[in-house]
Amino acid sequence: MDEVTAIRQLLAKPPPPAPEVVAAARARLERAARGTGTPRWYAPRRPWRLAAAAGAAAAVMAGLITAQVIASGGARPAGALTVRELAYRAAAAAARQPAVRPGQWVFWREKTGGPGCGTDCGTFHVWTTADSQKAAWVYRGRIVSLGHGPFVGQPLPSIVPQDRGGGWAVGGETGKIPVSYADLSSLPRDPAALGRYLGQLSLPHRRGWGPPAAREFTIIDMILTSYVMPPRLTAELYRALGDIPGVTVNDRAVDVAGRHGVGFISPALPGGGNMEIILNPRTYRLMGDDLLWGPRHRLLNGTAILQKALVSGPGVWP
Amino acid sequence: MTVTAGLAGHSETDATVIEQSLAEPERFAAIFERYFSQIRQYLARRVGTKIADDLAAEVFVVAFAQRQRYDLARDCARPWLYGIATNLAGAHRRREQRRYRALARLDARLVSPSDEDVIADRVSASAAGPALAGALAALDRGDRDVLLLVALADLSYAEVAESLGIPYGTVCSRLNRARRRLRESLGGARQARDR
């Protein structure tokens, strides 16, 4: 049997779509054809001044003029944070974290989930170095290396059932983070310059991928969820998030572990969807990230950081 | 627009329908009726049915929005639609890779074909599942897109080139590389089983 046949059998044909699925797709096309309900990632982005003015007008109508209307993300309802406010709170929280060295071991306990997660959802734990060069986990009481990084996010180890050969396997997102840990310290210090720099980097396997704003957000998400950085660098990345055009705040964010948080929602990604970086609403520390879909930002899949702690070595529990 | 049944027997080419849809948007419904099921099937095999239901609908919204750019010299819109679907699936790379790993853990006994040859092939495919799925996940995105358009969408090399907007020679080289890597992984899996 050749490999093409093997693929056809591995990725078996699904049952035909349910009538309501086809009907919903037809209705969506009809809405698009009527010019209403067009997914917003195809809508032209308004100049920021217009967006800000519209936001301000809405606030006047409600008698709730917020003190600050900013370019990125537009106005927010009273009581909610603007994108830049959230970015600066996150930066301040990051700046208070302890210093780390590149080889510092970090314990992670994470949960992957969401309706688009399939059967691969679950909680796992892993140890990585701060620079994501090394990773390990404990299998049958022994510390096992998971190979060399850097890893995008954390490597995802799992036990292979005995009837599938037993042992363990490691998964996780492949690819390459466009900024190496060693290069982090040479990134521009000014948030605007940092944004311009990140926005022009290429994403591995995603040549020509998206406008600079989507690219910048994605790269920052990769860095924040993969590395544990010196506090100053983490703070600068959060500040840069606050300046990305099109980023919005979701003050009703919920991570895949069901915890409530506050999220930065990315500009539309090429091909649809948005990324969300979720922070703890009290401490403003990173809780996880999600991939959202559709105008209502429905969760597709995501990762929640349940525990992250600096430890003295691989296999050492916090 | 009210989407109605497609044109019986495809009496008009896709290019004609798309051209007409520029003035009469409702004509685009015929493209939806002709291809929705197969596009959704392709996406479901890559990213799973739940996401595919949404993505397949999105393919036709995107196609409708981009129909002015359709090359009317091409009678068949199938490669164009698969290209859009492939691009949309690209935003779900992490999800796709998780799916491969999940599939690799499926038990061969869950497959119950009727034909003995098919049984042998499926058992073989299932036994090689972990290696195959792992190799698929490890492929470069461009290589994997080409391979899956050939394997799952039954596109010819020329259609894949049209679909992805890449030269014919690039399709051949990507496909060769992808197949070689999968062969190596399958060979490795067989050797491991034989030991």
Side-chain angles (χ1 to χ4, degrees):
Chain A
M1 180 177 57
D2 70 9
E3 55 282 354
V4 169
T5 309
I7 289 171
R8 287 176 179 148
Q9 292 176 6
L10 181 73
L11 305 177
K13 287 183 182 175
E20 57 267 27
V21 169
V22 181
R26 276 199 198 103
R28 197 156 151 190
L29 179 58
E30 288 173 8
R31 285 197 301 275
R34 282 199 304 266
T36 59
T38 303
R40 64 187 190 188
W41 49 92
Y42 301 115
R45 205 176 73 213
R46 290 178 297 170
W48 72 266
R49 287 188 180 82
L50 182 58
V60 170
M61 292 284 287
L64 296 168
I65 300 178
T66 53
Q68 187 181 17
V69 178
I70 62 171
S72 48
R76 298 291 308 157
L81 295 174
T82 62
V83 175
R84 192 169 286 169
E85 285 167 350
L86 179 58
Y88 275 72
R89 290 190 190 193
R96 290 194 293 269
Q97 296 308 306
V100 294
R101 54 185 172 76
Q104 169 72 52
W105 282 93
V106 183
F107 171 82
W108 306 80
R109 194 162 59 89
E110 297 193 339
K111 177 184 171 78
T112 55
C117 192
T119 58
D120 207 22
C121 302
T123 302
F124 67 99
H125 62 263
V126 68
W127 289 260
T128 69
T129 50
D131 59 6
S132 191
Q133 288 294 328
K134 297 178 186 172
W137 80 308
V138 174
Y139 175 68
R140 291 186 175 173
R142 288 172 43 208
I143 300 168
V144 180
S145 168
L146 297 177
H148 294 284
F151 304 91
V152 180
Q154 311 312 323
L156 203 160
S158 59
I159 295 173
V160 179
Q162 282 302 322
D163 60 349
R164 304 297 307 167
W168 57 274
V170 60
E173 188 171 353
T174 59
K176 184 183 171 190
I177 305 169
V179 182
S180 72
Y181 196 89
D183 289 339
L184 286 171
S185 58
S186 57
L187 288 174
R189 301 288 298 269
D190 172 64
L194 177 59
R196 282 194 300 275
Y197 175 76
L198 296 178
Q200 55 82 40
L201 291 179
S202 63
L203 281 160
H205 312 295
R206 299 176 186 178
R207 192 172 304 162
W209 192 83
R215 203 177 311 182
E216 181 188 350
F217 191 100
T218 304
I219 293 172
I220 291 177
D221 175 58
M222 278 181 170
I223 293 174
L224 289 174
T225 56
S226 305
Y227 300 143
V228 179
M229 293 170 287
R232 178 185 62 78
L233 292 174
T234 313
E236 285 172 3
L237 286 169
Y238 278 119
R239 276 194 288 271
L241 271 179
D243 284 342
I244 300 176
V247 172
T248 55
V249 168
N250 176 13
D251 46 21
R252 292 188 178 87
V254 180
D255 72 5
V256 294
R259 300 175 300 179
H260 290 269
V262 57
F264 293 100
I265 295 184
S266 76
L269 305 179
N274 303 74
M275 288 293 302
E276 182 175 39
I277 296 172
I278 303 178
L279 307 178
N280 182 301
R282 294 187 309 279
T283 64
Y284 299 102
R285 294 188 62 187
L286 182 65
M287 282 172 56
D289 62 346
D290 287 340
L291 178 60
L292 309 173
W293 183 255
R296 292 185 180 179
H297 289 153
R298 284 175 293 160
L299 170 70
L300 266 186
N301 59 44
T303 302
I305 301 171
L306 303 177
Q307 190 176 8
K308 183 170 84 172
L310 306 184
V311 292
S312 57
V316 176
W317 301 83
Chain B
M1 174 174 80
T2 300
V3 178
T4 54
L7 300 172
H10 295 202
S11 57
E12 294 167 304
T13 65
D14 295 338
T16 303
V17 172
I18 291 169
E19 185 175 24
Q20 290 169 344
S21 78
L22 295 173
E24 303 169 73
E26 67 275 11
R27 299 282 297 161
F28 200 80
I31 300 296
F32 175 91
E33 299 297 341
R34 288 175 186 179
Y35 297 111
F36 178 76
S37 289
Q38 50 182 288
I39 292 293
R40 185 255 183 195
Q41 177 175 284
Y42 166 73
L43 287 167
R45 294 171 88 176
R46 290 194 65 162
V47 297
T49 52
K50 283 181 182 170
I51 298 175
D53 290 346
D54 240 3
L55 275 188
E58 193 58 29
V59 167
F60 289 88
V61 173
V62 173
F64 178 80
Q66 296 183 349
R67 68 196 191 285
Q68 291 92 341
R69 285 189 266 160
Y70 182 76
D71 180 356
L72 296 172
R74 300 185 188 281
D75 283 345
C76 180
R78 200 164 155 268
W80 176 57
L81 294 170
Y82 274 109
I84 294 170
T86 301
N87 284 337
L88 290 180
H92 302 276
R93 188 162 51 90
R94 184 186 293 191
R95 156 74 185 135
E96 188 178 9
Q97 288 168 330
R98 284 178 179 155
R99 173 172 165 73
Y100 296 148
R101 292 196 302 276
L103 284 172
R105 291 196 292 268
L106 281 181
D107 194 315
R109 288 168 297 185
L110 296 177
V111 180
S112 55
S114 55
D115 182 273
E116 284 187 8
D117 290 336
V118 176
I119 290 175
D121 266 359
R122 290 197 180 180
V123 168
S124 172
S126 182
L132 183 63
L136 262 180
L139 289 178
D140 283 349
R141 181 183 159 190
D143 295 356
R144 185 167 60 231
D145 285 345
V146 168
L147 179 68
L148 294 183
L149 283 170
V150 171
L152 304 183
D154 285 322
L155 294 188
S156 67
Y157 291 12
E159 287 174 325
V160 173
E162 178 189 335
S163 175
L164 299 178
I166 57 178
Y168 184 92
T170 305
V171 171
C172 297
S173 60
R174 285 185 183 180
L175 189 63
N176 285 339
R177 187 166 52 232
R179 294 185 72 159
R180 187 179 68 245
R181 287 183 178 161
L182 291 196
R183 268 198 304 275
E184 288 167 1
S185 69
L186 290 174
R190 282 191 201 104
Q191 284 172 11
R193 285 199 309 279
D194 294 343
R195 276 200 288 270

